[in-house]
Amino acid sequence: MCLKINFNRIGTIILPILLAACSMHSSNQSEVNTQEPIMLSPDVHSFSNPNEIRVNHLSLDLRVDFDKKILSGTAKVFLSHLGDQDTLHLDSRQLVIHSITLPDGSNATYSLTKPIEFFGSDLAVLVPGKAAFIRIEYETEPGAEALDWMMPEQTAGGKHPFMFSQSQAILARTWLPLQDSPGVKFTYDATIHTNPELLAVMSAENGHDKTTNGVYHFKMDQPVSSYLMAIAVGDLQFQSLGRNCGVFSEPGMLPKAAWEFADMQSMIDSAEALYGPYAWGQYDVVVLPPSFPFGGMENPRLTFATPTIIAGDRSLVSLIAHELAHSWSGNLVTNETWNDFWLNEGFTVYFEQRIMEKIYGKPYAEMLTVLGMEELKLTVADLEEEGRPNDTHLFLNLDGRNPDDGLTDIAYEKGRFFLQTVEREVGRDAFDEFLKDYFTENAFKPMNTKRFLDYLKDHLLDKHAGSAERINIDAWVYGPGIPANSPKPESAEFMRVENSLNAFMASGNVDDIDTSGWTTHHWLHFLRDFKKNANLDLVVKLDDAYHLTSSGNNEILCDWFQIAISTQYKLAYPSMERFLTSVGRRKFLTPIYKLLVTRPEDKKWAEAVFEKAKPVYHAVSENTISDVLNP
Ligand code: BES
Ligand code: ZN
């Protein structure tokens, strides 16, 4: 299966057009949007034709209908005409289009192709006379994949319903008709109508308080990509955490959330000191119900986060540093297509680790880096075993595939270690200066792998004789596995952990484990090493001494349950069932279910648990786990 996109129309006519359209609609357009548009490379995951007609602004008026589990209303789509074609191609999936009209109110001629799995339909609209906008009246289907609708009992408070979106990678098209390609950036405004007792928030300028009529207005004057379109509606309350940051959550969780994220302002300050001013004004985090399928999502001005990082000891806040870092790597300088995904995530993991080092010190950051390398090695081994060696390249070829296939530790960790290799070669000061310029010069623009590598050469490597050869860029970007010159991270803290583990494995005596000063990360390293040679006898002893089965830390639980399955430690299963039926974070669910299906008896158990858990999972997680259970 392959998307049929007419590439002939891409890159043919390059007109330096100043966007007349900008003066023709709302006055809240920012000056950034009047920049000359960059011609975009073909995106195999979108039907759109942005080099001909490009969406430059979206104006939404949507009603949130909790009874029908749909959004309905209008999207006014503003356009820049860059070429001669008069057919606009938009992406649309699980949308019911009621009408499309032109600025003079007449009906536009349009057609929708038969939907293709993952990709949806090409919504082709005839836009004569270079009209400045079209108006689409539509609603989402009840099963629209981006949207998760929760009954009151699925929320922390238990009294009000909740709804949130997850647009990355190509799910924005399931709730908005748009050009769903990350290279296309547009500004937006929105009016959202919901129940008066609920608060609506978006990846935009938000009010922090409920209104009496349930109507909320948003504007985002800085251009963003479709995958960063986001909305959440629920019984939310806000607490400020500093000059320009704060947290939203359900009222009952707010004190815990605010305590957990107390370092948010210093993270912003540290990030700015590294790579330049935070461009988006306010930075808030909204804590979602546990069905949120990811750890975090870097929606501009408003990170969406899983409640599973609220551990009560601030031990999992590197996730906030990660999503914050995306405010530069990703949200400012954006992967042009999903084949360039490592430009978003690899840079962000590198940046995250620099923020963590600045605030919590080198030993802490070293622990995170070692954990990252361990995960990378496992990922490389898995992908090779699955016969997917090409998916261990940084630059991917996801033609005809779900971009989700690129969501592995390759983009994150191999990307990070590539950047660390460059840093080691040129020195930290030179690399920091380079990165700061890179983010500044390319802000609000798409970036692809080739252009980045050219930029790297011109602005950095050419000034350091021989560095390009020593780094061996081709091996990192276009080759498999982990190149031989990769940094080999070490952590003195983890050596202590390994000594304890070795002693325990030799003696079988828990007293040989010296856990003084251990944090979540020490435990994670211990468990991941222990997993390799665990046996039931040692598992029982560990649990008796440290009560891991009832740990309040979800990262620890996730690793512990994997050990419990492989050693058939049945005492942990009730707790594992509670975990699997209450947490929807895909990163936790996938390895556990994958292990469970390897034994017939466990597989049966997993299938029964999945049936119970399904209502709790977002479609993103449900689909993944369903594939694990029925390959
Ligand atoms: N942008 C990603 C999440 C994402 C990527 C969603 C691709 C859909 C498609 C986000 O920044 C992320 O990486 N989240 C991680 C946490 C992070 C600390 C590694 C997650 O959710 O686990
Ligand atoms: Zn990320």
Side-chain angles (χ1 to χ4, degrees), residues 580-596:
L580 293 174
T581 50
S582 60
V583 173
R585 188 172 171 190
R586 188 168 66 170
K587 180 186 110 165
F588 292 151
L589 301 178
T590 310
I592 295 177
Y593 277 103
K594 271 192 172 164
L595 213 51
L596 285 169

Side-chain angles (χ1 to χ4, degrees), residues 260-261 267 314-322 356 360 364:
E260 202 83 20
F261 302 149
M267 286 183 179
R314 297 182 182 158
S315 64
L316 304 177
V317 295
S318 62
L319 184 131
I320 301 295
H322 178 96
M356 295 306 285
Y360 304 101
Y364 192 115

Side-chain angles (χ1 to χ4, degrees), residues 248-431:
F248 291 93
S249 80
E250 290 187 60
M253 284 176 72
L254 199 54
K256 274 187 90 178
W259 185 87
E260 202 83 20
F261 302 149
D263 291 334
M264 213 185 286
Q265 188 69 57
S266 64
M267 286 183 179
I268 299 171
D269 297 345
S270 303
E272 289 191 311
L274 281 165
Y275 301 129
Y278 176 73
W280 306 88
Q282 181 77 10
Y283 178 76
D284 295 330
V285 173
V286 57
V287 180
L288 298 172
S291 61
F292 185 55
F294 294 101
M297 178 64 215
E298 66 272 25
N299 298 315
R301 296 180 63 103
L302 183 63
T303 285
F304 282 21
T306 168
T308 63
I309 52 169
I310 301 180
D313 59 4
R314 297 182 182 158
S315 64
L316 304 177
V317 295
S318 62
L319 184 131
I320 301 295
H322 178 96
E323 305 311 336
L324 170 68
H326 272 306
S327 306
W328 288 257
S329 46
N331 298 4
L332 280 185
V333 187
T334 310
N335 53 204
E336 189 172 46
T337 73
W338 298 116
N339 290 337
D340 306 300
F341 183 54
W342 76 277
L343 292 177
N344 273 21
E345 297 300 343
F347 278 70
T348 298
V349 175
Y350 175 84
F351 192 170
E352 165 200 343
Q353 175 236 326
R354 295 293 305 277
I355 295 171
M356 295 306 285
E357 180 179 322
K358 242 179 145 66
I359 299 180
Y360 304 101
K362 230 186 160 97
Y364 192 115
E366 278 167 356
M367 290 196 285
L368 296 177
T369 311
V370 173
L371 289 172
M373 178 53 93
E374 291 296 317
E375 281 166 21
L376 175 59
K377 286 180 182 162
L378 291 174
T379 299
V380 168
D382 283 353
L383 289 171
E384 278 168 359
E385 203 184 295
E386 287 172 32
R388 297 167 55 187
N390 290 348
D391 286 351
T392 69
H393 301 190
L394 282 180
F395 180 62
L396 296 173
N397 178 2
L398 296 168
D399 199 345
R401 293 161 67 190
N402 188 337
D404 246 28
D405 287 2
L407 183 46
T408 72
D409 275 319
I410 300 300
Y412 288 79
E413 296 295 344
K414 188 176 176 182
R416 173 247 289 271
F417 287 112
F418 171 51
L419 296 177
Q420 277 196 3
T421 306
V422 178
E423 181 206 305
R424 189 188 62 199
E425 206 46 61
V426 301
R428 184 167 269 197
D429 289 348
F431 192 53

